[in-house]
Amino acid sequence: MSSSRITEYNSFANLSNIMESAIDPAKLRSKFLQLLGTRRSPEVTLKVEPAKPVAHPLYQEKSPPGFSEDMASCPKENIPNLKELLVEENLYLHTEDSEQGRLPVLILNLKESNHQKRPAIVFLHSTHKCKEWLRPLLEAYASRGYIAVAIDSRYHGERARNISTYQDALVSSWKKGDTMPFIFDTVWDLIKLADYLSQREDIDSAKIGITGESLGGMHAWFAAFADTRYAVVVPVIGVQGFQWAIEHDRWQARVATLKPVFVEACADLGKSSIDKEVVEKVWNRIAPGLAGQFDAPYTIPAIAPRPLLILQGAEDPRCPLAGIEIPISRAHKAYEEANCVDNFKTEAEPGIGHKMPPSMVKKASDWFDKFLK
């Protein structure tokens, strides 16, 4: 570890050491679930509604993405007539009584005659994309015997009206404080999704995995923290220390991905430019506790003893490695105490920034095969 990293590590360790002895994963999880319930429209009985395939997926980008070599690199069984054997389901789950409470779900699996319960994996897209973007991964995993599941995150895909829907929702949350569109509201949906998946006759409820890229990696991390039914977890380029970034002035790259809400907050607070005070106030408003008691140093260790693989880019400015040294150290300790150190692994790809290359796709695939097959 470099001298600069040691300095960063030690300064952040002070807060970690103070709170370490007081953290109880079950109590922290309970507090988080209570928070999720505070900005919720009336709950409804979980209902499944049939849906149709999306012909023209909405990407909230000026230039919609094309073919992804990284997605297509996922290991796949060599089945000549795979397309004919794939079973596709499109449905909506109603997770609460609101417009955003209608959760679009896409499920792919391989047609089988033995009717055995199979492992399932939930895949989560990155910012401004949608569940259809993940189809190459769904097909690859389905070819290997998994039930592959993808959703549209809040204000994305079928839950968006135009290319600014997500950013508009973030600004509205800052103004009104009535929703949590950044990470937390989608975690609520993922808890309800776990309810549904656990009830399906074709899924082994003890073998449900979850993974995602970037924003999807954050969703996977927090969903696994919140709901222990997610048995195997692989967040990709998503784990970061939010408070660490504020304290060490390393918040710029993450803030740039959500700039409209920070610009709005800056003006409301009478600031001439975005600074760490603005950043902290925005996080506290739109995702309370994200840069506090629910930050990575406390929620990542709470995933133990379930298998957890964290994949990062060594040069990722949005998820700086120095910002997760404490979470990783504490997670190692939690897995050691649970006598299952082989269930936890972190890898940082040299020379990689905020990107999921084929090597990460393969590592995630191997991790799920190891613990779910």
Side-chain angles (χ1 to χ4, degrees):
M1 192 183 302
S2 68
S3 59
S4 60
R5 285 282 175 86
I6 292 172
T7 300
E8 292 171 341
Y9 184 98
N10 288 341
S11 62
F12 192 59
N14 293 334
L15 175 60
S16 181
N17 291 337
I18 290 171
M19 294 192 65
E20 183 169 4
S21 60
I23 293 175
D24 180 317
K27 289 182 179 178
L28 189 64
R29 186 172 293 114
S30 177
K31 288 182 179 179
F32 184 66
L33 294 176
Q34 289 174 16
L35 169 68
L36 293 187
T38 61
R39 299 188 187 179
R40 202 63 43 211
S41 58
E43 283 195 60
V44 295
T45 301
L46 194 66
K47 184 175 70 172
V48 181
E49 175 188 343
K52 296 180 180 180
V54 177
H56 304 288
L58 175 62
Y59 294 93
Q60 295 181 58
E61 300 171 345
K62 292 181 179 179
S63 299
F67 172 77
S68 170
E69 183 178 348
D70 299 333
M71 291 284 183
S73 70
C74 189
K76 180 186 296 186
E77 285 295 317
N78 186 18
I79 303 174
N81 59 336
L82 176 61
K83 297 287 186 182
E84 299 172 14
L85 295 176
L86 285 174
V87 178
E88 177 175 338
E89 296 177 65
N90 291 273
L91 55 93
Y92 299 112
L93 288 182
H94 290 262
T95 64
E96 61 179 294
D97 186 17
S98 69
E99 180 183 1
Q100 287 295 318
R102 192 168 182 249
L103 173 65
V105 184
L106 169 62
I107 302 175
L108 290 184
N109 65 85
L110 204 60
K111 192 182 299 181
E112 292 189 10
S113 58
N114 56 17
H115 303 294
Q116 290 184 337
K117 289 181 179 289
R118 284 173 279 171
I121 301 176
V122 176
F123 298 85
L124 301 159
H125 60 76
S126 54
T127 303
H128 296 155
K129 291 186 171 63
C130 57
K131 62 186 184 300
E132 285 74 26
W133 173 252
L134 299 166
R135 191 176 184 96
L137 294 180
L138 303 184
E139 291 185 359
Y141 276 84
S143 78
R144 306 205 318 268
Y146 291 98
I147 294 179
V149 183
I151 68 166
D152 284 329
S153 299
R154 294 270 176 141
Y155 307 99
H156 285 78
E158 292 186 73
R159 306 167 98 174
R161 296 179 178 178
N162 53 52
I163 64 170
S164 68
T165 295
Y166 179 50
Q167 299 291 352
D168 292 344
L170 294 166
V171 172
S172 178
S173 177
W174 163 258
K175 295 285 191 182
K176 301 176 183 178
D178 57 347
T179 60
M180 295 181 285
F182 186 57
I183 305 176
F184 291 176
D185 282 342
T186 296
V187 172
W188 174 267
D189 294 330
L190 290 167
I191 293 171
K192 298 300 181 181
L193 179 67
D195 290 341
Y196 168 71
L197 297 178
S198 298
Q199 296 169 8
R200 284 181 59 121
E201 294 182 354
D202 56 348
I203 290 178
D204 184 341
S205 61
K207 293 186 176 182
I208 301 176
I210 190 166
T211 185
E213 174 192 8
S214 191
L215 177 63
M218 290 184 257
H219 287 152
W221 150 24
F222 276 95
F225 157 61
D227 195 323
T228 58
R229 289 174 295 184
Y230 288 112
V232 182
V233 191
V234 185
V236 182
I237 60 172
V239 178
Q240 58 213 269
F242 287 90
Q243 184 61 42
W244 178 93
I246 292 170
E247 292 180 353
H248 295 276
D249 201 32
R250 299 281 295 277
W251 45 265
Q252 291 82 358
R254 170 56 58 202
V255 166
T257 67
L258 310 170
K259 194 168 183 180
V261 65
F262 290 95
V263 170
E264 193 76 19
C266 191
D268 290 346
L269 295 170
K271 296 267 190 174
S272 59
S273 61
I274 300 170
D275 59 19
K276 66 180 183 180
E277 181 185 2
V278 173
V279 175
E280 189 161 28
K281 286 184 180 296
V282 169
W283 292 146
N284 288 341
R285 180 73 163 170
I286 71 173
L290 181 65
Q293 64 178 329
F294 304 128
D295 204 351
Y298 318 115
T299 51
I300 288 295
I303 295 174
R306 290 165 288 156
L308 169 62
L309 171 64
I310 298 174
L311 297 174
Q312 304 281 95
E315 310 304 326
D316 189 344
R318 300 182 196 176
C319 305
L321 289 185
I324 61 170
E325 286 173 348
I326 288 293
I328 289 173
S329 174
R330 296 189 57 183
H332 271 299
K333 182 177 180 181
Y335 281 88
E336 286 175 355
E337 291 176 347
N339 296 313
C340 56
V341 292
D342 291 340
N343 283 9
F344 179 61
K345 188 176 183 180
T346 61
E347 290 201 22
E349 295 264 358
I352 298 297
H354 195 72
K355 176 180 171 59
M356 182 179 71
S359 54
M360 289 188 190
V361 175
K362 176 66 164 57
K363 288 171 183 175
S365 174
D366 291 345
W367 190 260
F368 284 122
D369 284 352
K370 177 179 179 179
F371 290 102
L372 291 179
K373 279 299 186 74

